Amino acid sequence: MSGSPIIQDGKIIGAVTHAIVDNVSNGYGIFITTMLEEGEKE
């Protein structure tokens, strides 16, 4: 899994998965809980 971590209050809460090249302040992310739940399914 790739992406830049999102840190809040010293804890990882998710990751940036895609950034919009023309406007890097926009993009897509995923919560760490979703990542962990999906990982347990496999």
Side-chain angles (χ1 to χ4, degrees):
M1 193 172 297
S2 63
S4 297
I6 301 170
I7 308 294
Q8 188 174 56
D9 296 326
K11 298 177 182 176
I12 185 169
I13 63 162
V16 174
T17 59
H18 296 81
I20 308 302
V21 175
D22 294 340
N23 184 354
V24 294
S25 65
N26 288 326
Y28 299 95
I30 186 168
F31 287 112
I32 191 70
T33 51
T34 304
M35 293 167 61
L36 294 171
E37 288 169 359
E38 289 297 317
E40 290 177 355
K41 289 181 182 179
E42 296 180 8

